[in-house]
Amino acid sequence: MLLAIDIGNSDAVFGINDGKNWLQQFRIESSSSRLSSDFDAKLRMLFLENNLKISSITKAVISSVVPDLKKPIIEMVQNLFGIQPILVGPTIYHKLPLEILRPNEIGTDLVCNALYAYLKYKQKVIIVDFGTALTFTTVSETGKILGVSIAPGLGTAVKSLFSNTAQLPEVPLEVPDSVIGQNTVHAIQAGVMWGYIGMVEKMLEKIKEEVGQDCKVIATGGLSSKLTQLHPFFDEIDVNITLNGLKIIAEI
């Protein structure tokens, strides 16, 4: 079985795939201290709790946008599973059916997203990833990554608001019916949630103006389910798109 590891700035996601389906997924906060100190023990416990055997993992692939975590995660996979993992990065991009103009700058998670989207649709596609950052990756019908647009993610924006204002409380990420706030919580929800809906709509409109209207639009990321008002704009919504891209890379 395959172990796919997607290390983001907020969380590290681990997926176990039997060749067809994602059997289990685990999520651990991706702070350097946690992952480097007791990650081995955490993963062993997760395998035990889910009746999975360490010996069942025969292949591993890693995407990390956190440079400090690459080495400890590679070493953990080597020590725990006895296998050499595939690390997504510029050294393997020549194997992919993608044209990547700035391979040392683009996030490896975005490459995974682009690979999945291109191979599935074989036409122009925009991938909206609702993660720590909100990203829009545009891919041509020939597999060229045309570019990426980046904004602070929904959770990042909310945390920044709370950390820089003394009297504002933390609020649930829910979209209110009205954009006119009637109390503090409602006011924050109206400004942040409806503001992000408007931003995504406008970004998709402007991208399509540049590359053409015949684009598929797919959404991924842990917060992709929060903004249901945007769902009609998407042809596909799947939190596993990055993991699916990792699986494709492991099989190339």
Side-chain angles (χ1 to χ4, degrees):
M1 290 196 293
L2 169 70
L3 173 64
I5 305 175
D6 173 29
I7 303 173
N9 289 294
S10 298
D11 295 304
V13 180
F14 311 89
I16 297 174
N17 193 285
D18 64 357
K20 295 182 179 180
N21 301 303
W22 294 106
L23 303 180
Q24 292 287 345
Q25 291 185 37
F26 313 119
R27 185 179 294 268
I28 302 175
E29 185 179 344
S30 58
S31 65
S32 299
S33 59
R34 288 191 180 188
L35 286 184
S36 60
S37 62
D38 61 355
F39 176 76
D40 183 286
K42 284 180 179 288
L43 201 56
R44 286 181 186 274
M45 183 58 66
L46 288 170
F47 267 63
L48 181 63
E49 292 172 349
N50 291 276
N51 297 315
L52 295 168
K53 294 182 179 179
I54 297 292
S55 59
S56 67
I57 301 300
T58 57
K59 185 178 289 188
V61 59
I62 300 169
S63 164
S64 176
V65 297
V66 186
D68 290 347
L69 293 181
K70 290 181 182 179
K71 184 177 179 181
I73 295 300
I74 291 173
E75 292 177 348
M76 181 281 304
V77 171
Q78 293 170 333
N79 295 333
L80 184 57
F81 301 101
I83 55 180
Q84 179 64 38
I86 300 166
L87 181 65
V88 180
T91 58
I92 71 160
Y93 288 163
H94 67 281
K95 300 179 181 179
L96 308 182
L98 293 175
E99 183 179 350
I100 304 170
L101 299 182
R102 298 185 181 276
N104 293 304
E105 294 183 20
I106 190 170
T108 54
D109 55 339
L110 303 185
V111 173
C112 293
N113 292 347
L115 179 64
Y116 166 82
Y118 170 64
L119 290 180
K120 179 168 184 177
Y121 292 104
K122 292 293 181 69
Q123 69 174 85
K124 285 178 283 190
V125 60
I126 305 166
I127 308 102
V128 186
D129 194 333
F130 293 87
T132 304
L134 172 64
T135 62
F136 302 80
T137 304
T138 306
V139 186
S140 76
E141 65 274 14
T142 60
K144 179 179 180 179
I145 299 179
L146 299 174
V148 179
S149 306
I150 304 175
L154 186 58
T156 303
V158 171
K159 288 179 182 178
S160 177
L161 183 63
F162 298 146
S163 64
N164 289 287
T165 49
Q167 295 185 339
L168 294 183
E170 290 195 37
V171 301
L173 296 179
E174 298 173 355
V175 181
D177 292 332
S178 173
V179 298
I180 304 173
Q182 301 299 308
N183 54 57
T184 302
V185 170
H186 184 186
I188 295 171
Q189 290 176 327
V192 172
M193 303 302 285
W194 280 107
Y196 265 75
I197 290 170
M199 177 169 63
V200 172
E201 287 186 16
K202 192 63 176 180
M203 284 298 300
L204 292 177
E205 175 188 322
K206 296 300 289 183
I207 292 171
K208 288 183 177 181
E209 283 181 7
E210 291 192 32
V211 302
Q213 297 297 317
D214 55 332
C215 284
K216 292 289 185 180
V217 182
I218 63 178
T220 190
L223 295 174
S224 58
S225 62
K226 291 289 184 181
L227 303 177
T228 56
Q229 291 77 4
L230 287 170
H231 289 184
F233 292 88
F234 302 135
D235 297 286
E236 177 182 354
I237 303 169
D238 188 349
V239 297
N240 292 328
I241 285 175
T242 307
L243 289 181
N244 290 338
L246 281 167
K247 179 177 179 290
I248 293 170
I249 290 173
E251 295 171 346
I252 291 178

